[in-house]
Amino acid sequence: MPLALLALAVGAFGIGTTEFVMMGLLPNVADDLHISIPTAGHLVSAYALGVVIGAPLLAAVTARMPRRRVLIGLMGLFVVGNALSAAAPDYHLLTAARFVSGLPHGAFFGVGAVVATGLVGPERKARSVSLMFLGLTVANVVGVPVATLMGQQLGWRATFLAVSAIGLAAIAALALLVPADHGHGEGAGLRGELRALRSLPVWLALGTTVAGFGALFAAYSYVTPMLTDSAGFAEASVTLLLALFGVGATAGNLLGGRLADHSLRGTLFGGLGSLVVVLAFFPLLMRAEWSAAAGVTLLGMAAFTTGSPLQLMVMERAAAAPSLASSANQAAFNLANAGGAWIGGLALAAGFGTTSPAVAGAGLAVLGVGVATVAYAVDRARPAASGPERLVAEHVPGAGERVEA
């Protein structure tokens, strides 16, 4: 695999760290800025809103720019957002800074996925995407716990300065390792890019992402009370258990990438089916400490097995705008985050029990299987439109290839 994938993974590591570390720093931020924890929770929503807005917009307006330059620019915006977060004197400016930090998130993964698949042969496209996403999953194992500890010991501002430094390292890696390219998107500006998304298969693929990862976040958003109230873990053990989720997500991401290169559709259905089973049995798994630890690991593995297949499926269903479609999939992921947490919260508020969000998640996973089945039927009915399952994207020159000026 090309070293350029390492540069993409470094950027993904920084993005994954800054996205999830705020959840661990909420008490520290709330105390320092003299606000309540629920109010501080809006900082998480501000970042997610930035992702949803920035993902398709930035991908569309930069579609005609060289992709290496786009990636470097997006990481530059990421550094600025996190530096502003570290310097924010009050809650309102910190909220704005978190919004700015989220803007490049989806576009980076979207453009990065197109670059990653262009660096390898057709038999390794899914693996190349999974290696880029490796930075995101490893962030949950290493980056978030270390950054949270740093924030607790040195202050939350130190955490965002450290994340800014990771962003600078990613910029250097992108400049050194990602080949220069002069490829442009096929769409004619923003209107042309958006026109490429007027396709039922594209929206069905995005819908599968929303339902599938909504299933994950319906349960994962409330996994801490499940582990403490149902499984009997002490609160001090939760951080380690969440790291197990990251380990499972990393394994599932790598497994999904390898399997999807052999059968994209089969891997997607297998991952969604596994997610249904894990979530359906989650209440039983939460009855003992050993089974709860296994359940958290399996949850991460089942969910992230679908990551690479979904990313590729969205990209190949919008061949004229692969960067925009890929970025839109990241926006769908964050909508799944918010929607899944909301649905899981409804189950809790209705008094169905601590583990009820997992059961609600199982229902969403079944919905994801249903949407994926409809997408498969639509593709079968439109062979001329969809063609064979292949990724249509411009080739990014390898390190040994000449690039025309």
Side-chain angles (χ1 to χ4, degrees):
M1 287 290 179
L3 280 176
L5 294 176
L6 175 62
L8 296 172
V10 173
F13 178 81
I15 289 174
T17 300
T18 201
E19 179 180 18
F20 293 107
V21 74
M22 180 57 76
M23 300 171 188
L25 294 178
L26 285 182
N28 306 80
V29 174
D31 289 343
D32 185 53
L33 298 182
H34 308 292
I35 57 177
S36 66
I37 288 182
T39 300
H42 295 161
L43 297 169
V44 177
S45 301
Y47 183 94
L49 181 62
V51 177
V52 173
I53 293 176
L57 182 61
L58 291 178
V61 300
T62 61
R64 292 185 169 188
M65 296 173 59
R67 289 184 176 124
R68 183 175 71 172
R69 187 183 303 172
V70 172
L71 290 170
I72 292 173
L74 291 171
M75 285 310 301
L77 182 59
F78 171 83
V79 170
V80 170
N82 282 280
L84 289 175
S85 296
D90 57 43
Y91 165 73
H92 298 290
L93 289 177
L94 180 57
T95 302
R98 287 293 290 171
F99 175 80
V100 172
S101 299
L103 287 174
H105 176 128
F108 181 87
F109 280 110
V111 176
V114 176
V115 170
T117 55
L119 290 165
V120 299
E123 74 282 358
R124 291 189 175 186
K125 290 186 181 296
R127 269 176 284 182
S128 71
V129 173
S130 71
L131 288 177
M132 179 186 68
F133 282 132
L134 186 64
L136 181 65
T137 56
V138 169
N140 282 283
V141 182
V142 179
V144 173
V146 171
T148 301
L149 181 62
M150 176 183 293
Q152 293 170 346
Q153 298 299 319
L154 302 177
W156 61 269
R157 298 179 189 275
T159 295
F160 291 110
L161 286 176
V163 172
S164 297
I166 296 173
L168 291 174
I171 290 174
L174 291 167
L176 290 173
L177 299 178
V178 174
D181 74 289
H182 292 263
H184 303 292
E186 297 179 14
L190 177 58
R191 183 176 298 179
E193 287 287 311
L194 293 176
R195 189 181 302 119
L197 296 183
R198 294 179 182 176
S199 167
L200 179 60
V202 172
W203 287 102
L204 287 172
L206 292 173
T208 305
T209 296
V210 172
F213 277 96
L216 165 65
F217 286 110
Y220 187 65
S221 300
Y222 305 96
V223 72
T224 296
M226 291 188 211
L227 291 170
T228 55
D229 298 347
S230 296
F233 281 102
E235 290 187 4
S237 304
V238 171
T239 300
L240 176 60
L241 292 164
L242 295 183
L244 286 179
F245 172 85
V247 171
T250 300
N253 173 56
L254 293 174
L255 178 64
R258 180 169 292 274
L259 293 177
D261 280 327
H262 297 284
S263 174
L264 189 152
R265 187 85 63 173
T267 304
L268 176 60
F269 278 110
L272 289 172
S274 300
L275 189 57
V276 171
V277 173
V278 171
L279 287 171
F281 282 95
F282 220 66
L284 294 177
L285 294 172
M286 288 295 116
R287 292 184 178 180
E289 291 186 354
W290 68 270
S291 58
V296 169
T297 307
L298 290 173
L299 177 63
M301 188 172 184
F304 279 86
T305 298
T306 66
S308 298
L310 281 170
Q311 194 77 20
L312 286 176
M313 190 167 293
V314 170
M315 290 166 66
E316 64 186 21
R317 296 303 179 269
S323 297
L324 178 57
S326 184
S327 300
N329 194 49
Q330 293 301 309
F333 179 88
N334 278 269
L335 286 174
N337 188 337
W342 177 68
I343 290 174
L346 289 179
L348 276 178
F352 292 128
T354 305
T355 59
S356 60
V359 179
L364 285 174
V366 171
L367 177 61
V369 173
V371 176
T373 302
V374 172
Y376 176 66
V378 169
D379 284 345
R380 289 287 299 271
R382 300 171 55 181
S386 58
E389 283 198 346
R390 62 186 180 89
L391 178 65
V392 182
E394 295 180 28
H395 175 70
V396 179
E401 298 181 51
R402 292 187 58 188
V403 180
E404 296 294 331

